[in-house]
Amino acid sequence: MGHDSTPDGPQQQVFAFLFCSLDGYHEGPDGELDFGLHDEEFFDWNLRQTREVGALLLGRRTYEHFAEVWPSAEAAERLPEIAAFMNAVPKTVVTGGGPVTPWEGTRVTDGSDLGAEVARLRAESTGDVAVFGSSGLTVTLLEQGLVDELRILLHPVLLGRGRSLYAGLSERVDLTPGAVTVFRSGNLLLRYRPPGRTGGPAVEG
């Protein structure tokens, strides 16, 4: 993935990586996230993806879930390389207030100036800036024109109801399609480039 150049040098890309059901839900009706198909082929691909990443930008709910899962002994045993990455990579969590679970390498922001936050991450990161999960935050970043690429992992399952992948999006966004990756499990990875946009308040994801 190419980086945009500026007079000050190359700028890191910001991509949002989310998964959803075939009927467009990011979570089940009770917040379930257990419908994904994650096999060895997917984990190998995801490990390659993390090697592009120099920083994470996360919504509060996703951050709290990750902070519980990835420092655990179970994660270190089951997915040692991914767990090592998640624990070491610099993380910025966007939250409206209240203490967050301590996790090494974490910075907290209220999201009042996401444009400045993203600019800082682009300038300081040694790799691309990734938004993992965090659907609410992704919507806000989209509305403010701060996302360079969407990566959507589409799972072959119908949930019937739940939380829409882009719940809260206030207006139409026309996307430019990119490459499609087909996994043996039936998962599809869809890539899209959104246009630059402005406006929208910070939302926790």
Side-chain angles (χ1 to χ4, degrees), residues 65-139:
H65 174 67
F66 284 175
E68 177 183 352
V69 170
W70 291 111
S72 69
E74 180 183 356
E77 180 178 350
R78 183 164 173 255
L79 295 167
E81 291 175 292
I82 297 287
F85 161 80
M86 293 294 290
N87 289 310
V89 69
K91 294 164 280 282
T92 297
V93 55
V94 180
T95 178
V100 300
T101 300
W103 192 9
E104 182 181 357
T106 295
R107 180 177 184 274
V108 178
T109 180
D110 64 6
S112 59
D113 192 345
L114 281 175
E117 199 65 48
V118 168
R120 179 188 67 83
L121 288 170
R122 286 183 191 272
E124 296 179 0
S125 177
T126 58
D128 289 337
V129 180
V131 184
F132 287 168
S134 307
S135 61
L137 176 60
T138 297
V139 165

Side-chain angles (χ1 to χ4, degrees), residues 3-200:
H3 293 167
D4 296 331
S5 294
T6 70
D8 299 320
Q11 286 283 298
Q12 307 298 353
Q13 298 287 290
V14 177
F15 72 85
F17 176 56
L18 307 99
F19 63 85
C20 73
S21 66
L22 190 58
D23 48 353
Y25 295 114
H26 179 58
E27 299 176 2
D30 297 313
E32 304 96 323
L33 299 170
D34 59 355
F35 57 88
L37 296 173
H38 298 141
D39 58 7
E40 185 176 351
E41 182 187 26
F42 167 77
F43 286 124
D44 286 346
W45 173 85
N46 197 35
L47 180 59
R48 293 194 301 274
Q49 175 177 246
T50 63
R51 291 175 181 146
E52 304 172 10
V53 175
L56 296 182
L57 180 61
L58 303 169
R60 174 67 179 264
R61 289 187 305 124
T62 301
Y63 171 84
E64 292 293 349
H65 174 67
F66 284 175
E68 177 183 352
V69 170
W70 291 111
S72 69
E74 180 183 356
E77 180 178 350
R78 183 164 173 255
L79 295 167
E81 291 175 292
I82 297 287
F85 161 80
M86 293 294 290
N87 289 310
V89 69
K91 294 164 280 282
T92 297
V93 55
V94 180
T95 178
V100 300
T101 300
W103 192 9
E104 182 181 357
T106 295
R107 180 177 184 274
V108 178
T109 180
D110 64 6
S112 59
D113 192 345
L114 281 175
E117 199 65 48
V118 168
R120 179 188 67 83
L121 288 170
R122 286 183 191 272
E124 296 179 0
S125 177
T126 58
D128 289 337
V129 180
V131 184
F132 287 168
S134 307
S135 61
L137 176 60
T138 297
V139 165
T140 302
L141 293 168
L142 274 172
E143 291 180 332
Q144 295 188 21
L146 298 173
V147 179
D148 298 304
E149 185 180 58
L150 293 172
R151 300 179 184 181
I152 310 302
L153 189 68
L154 188 63
H155 294 296
V157 60
L158 299 169
L159 297 182
R161 57 195 179 98
R163 177 186 171 90
S164 168
L165 183 62
Y166 296 111
L169 187 66
S170 61
E171 55 188 290
R172 171 173 165 171
V173 179
D174 292 311
L175 304 171
T176 301
V180 176
T181 302
V182 180
F183 293 94
R184 288 190 298 270
S185 62
N187 289 338
L188 295 177
L189 179 73
L190 310 175
R191 295 175 184 248
Y192 297 97
R193 290 271 177 179
R197 301 181 65 81
T198 59

